[in-house]
Every structure is written in C-alpha cells, then in structure tokens.
Amino acid sequence: MERLKGKVALISGGARGQGAAEARLFVGEGAKVVIGDVLDDLCRKTAAQINASGTSKSAIALHLDVTRAADWHAAVETCEREFGGLDILVNNAGIANAKGLEETSEEEWDSIVNINQKGVWLGMKSAVPAMRKRGAGSIINISSIYGLIGSAGSTAYHGTKGAVRLLSKSAAIEYAADKIRVNSIHPGIILTPMLGVVTREELQPLIDATPLKRGAQPEEVGWCAVFLASDEASFVTGSELVVDGGYTAH
Ligand code: NAD
C-alpha cells in the first residue's frame, strides 16, 4: 500500500504509544518520517526498528521538546535536509494529569499547558512555512474525548485538549488558502503507557462506559491519522475525528 508515497511526516511524541504506531503505519504506506521526543533512547530505538523492517532509511529520530521553538525549527530543518520537505505534521506529544482543579499546582498547570497546548501551536507555527513551500500540507492535532466532554479530576488536561480542538479549527480556516488541511483526532481509551496515570480500578469504569467494551490498540488511532494525512482526505479540514469505541455517543 502506498497511500502516503512521496510524503514526509514529522511526528511529535513518536518514541512510543500512538506516535510510534503512526510512524510505523506511515512508513508502511510509503512515507518518510521524522519522530521527535524527549525520550531520546527510546525514540532512536523506535526509528531503528522501523528502518530494520524496510530496505531504505525511512525514519529519523531526534530530540524534540515540543515546548521549545528551537527544537521545532531543528526538526523541520531535518525533514527538509534529509527528506526534501515536509507534508504532514502530527502534533501527538502530550502528558496527562489525573488531578482535580484544587490539587493541581501552578507548576503542574504550566507544564501541561506548555506541552499539550503551546506545543501544538509551536508545531503548527514551525511547520506551516515548510508546507507552504510544498504547496500543500496536512496537520493532525491529537486532542482527546476529554477535549469534547468534561469529567471530574483532570481539569488541566481537559482545558488543554479543548484548546487543541479550536486551535485546529481556527488554523484550518487560516491556512485553507495555502491548501494546508488541519484536523483534530479525539481518542478515547487507548492502551498506551499514558494510562499509567490511572489505576486499574479507575480504568475499568471507563472501559465499561465504552460501547465497544474495550480499550483500543494505538494502531486503531494510527489508521485514522493515515487517512487524514493522505490525499483520500482532500476535502477534510477543520473536522474532529472521534476514535473512542462509542464513548461519547451516549
Ligand atoms: P504516551 O505517553 O505513550 O505517549 C506520549 C509521548 O509524548 C511520549 O513518548 C512522551 O515522551 C512524549 N512527550 C511528553 N512530553 C513531551 C515533550 N515535552 N516533547 C516531546 N514529546 C513529549 O501516550 P499516548 O497515548 O501515545 O499519547 C499520545 C497522544 O494521545 C497524547 O497527546 C495524549 O494526550 C493523547 N490521548 C491519549 C489517550 C489514551 O488513552 N492513551 C486518550 C486520548 C488522547
């Protein structure tokens, strides 16, 4: 399958979880990928695994702290220097905090807003000029079902993921003339290391409330990102793709 043939993607938080799954699927569909993360060793390992499964170098790992503009510039520059340009950005990096409004310290608030919200803005700001040079682009911002609905006990996370939803819609309108599509994905319960912020007892009710009665593998989000990244989604912009086993359908 070559749904992303000739395209170059930059994926933040690509060392593990959904970002790593997206990198594997994108390369399987013919793309070149640059994966950035703060987990440098794991990121290099993930890229090496991807390259070991193919015949040419298709994945590059680099250090990318999404809160730092200089790291973003270096990542975009790597896409252009090593693979000739940038067509797809997946703003996937994120952290969760399972703390209530009053329990959240100012430091924790700043950290989650900087990574989940400012990081998405900085990523788009850095990628757009490179996409303009290519004459088109696809930006996929990973929000959450918690960017659509509320729940008790993680207000900071909800705030950032709600912001990602409207950052995406606004950017979709702003860059439509440049043929840069911007969409958000809203995953439900996805079986990645991030779920470590909740206990098994806290997780079960969330699975029980999911009509499909299970959590998803990261690839089940990854295939949705493949679609949005590909030319199959040529008329899809400003949209929110919910991937939650029916959780928010109630
Ligand atoms: P994960 O924890 O496995 O992956 C997140 C990745 O982001 C990690 O590799 C981490 O090192 C990286 N990261 C954290 N801070 C960073 C920073 N400052 N700069 C660069 N990278 C950084 O979890 P995941 O489930 O793969 O999460 C991917 C995205 O999906 C996140 O935005 C998350 O909020 C969202 N999401 C996850 C779930 C879920 O149930 N797992 C549900 C809804 C949304």
Side-chain angles (χ1 to χ4, degrees):
M1 295 292 280
E2 297 191 323
R3 296 163 70 189
L4 301 177
K5 191 172 190 291
K7 295 190 191 290
V8 181
L10 172 56
I11 302 174
S12 71
R16 68 182 192 196
Q18 295 174 60
E22 282 149 9
R24 282 192 293 273
L25 295 176
F26 281 22
V27 167
E29 293 296 335
K32 303 286 188 195
V33 299
V34 171
I35 53 176
D37 207 297
V38 289
L39 302 175
D40 296 325
D41 289 346
L42 187 57
C43 199
R44 277 194 289 272
K45 204 170 147 196
T46 299
Q49 281 167 351
I50 292 171
N51 288 327
S53 64
T55 49
S56 62
K57 187 170 99 171
S58 297
I60 293 174
L62 50 69
H63 179 83
L64 169 65
D65 178 342
V66 294
T67 67
R68 291 175 45 88
D71 286 6
W72 275 112
H73 290 147
V76 171
E77 203 256 330
T78 298
C79 293
E80 295 189 311
R81 188 184 62 245
E82 299 294 327
F83 293 139
L86 178 62
D87 307 287
I88 302 159
L89 169 66
V90 186
N91 271 313
N92 163 79
I95 58 168
N97 89 328
K99 280 198 179 171
L101 187 146
E102 290 169 273
E103 289 74 45
T104 302
S105 68
E106 199 172 338
E107 195 183 17
E108 288 165 332
W109 172 270
D110 287 344
S111 167
I112 197 163
V113 169
N114 277 332
I115 294 171
N116 292 8
Q117 184 174 338
K118 180 184 173 189
V120 169
W121 165 70
L122 268 182
M124 294 197 289
K125 186 176 159 76
S126 309
V128 159
M131 291 180 173
R132 258 203 213 101
K133 285 190 225 161
R134 300 279 265 192
S138 173
I139 297 175
I140 300 160
N141 294 328
I142 307 300
S143 175
S144 168
I145 51 171
Y146 291 152
L148 300 172
I149 59 169
S151 76
S154 59
T155 41
Y157 186 75
H158 281 73
T160 61
K161 291 301 185 178
V164 168
R165 174 175 173 268
L166 282 182
L167 266 171
S168 306
K169 289 188 192 301
S170 302
I173 297 167
E174 192 164 338
Y175 295 109
D178 294 301
K179 297 193 175 60
I180 298 171
R181 297 182 293 100
V182 188
N183 295 287
S184 55
I185 292 183
H186 299 262
I189 309 305
I190 315 299
L191 304 171
T192 70
M194 182 170 278
L195 289 185
V197 298
V198 292
T199 64
R200 201 172 249 282
E201 292 69 40
E202 288 166 332
L203 181 61
Q204 195 54 47
L206 300 176
I207 290 178
D208 292 343
T210 300
L212 289 181
K213 299 294 178 205
R214 64 178 178 86
Q217 294 302 319
E219 287 74 14
E220 295 180 88
V221 178
W223 283 117
C224 298
V226 167
F227 166 68
L228 289 174
S230 78
D231 294 339
E232 295 160 21
S234 53
F235 203 52
V236 184
T237 196
S239 79
E240 45 196 74
L241 180 43
V242 181
V243 190
D244 69 348
Y247 189 96
T248 55
H250 290 287

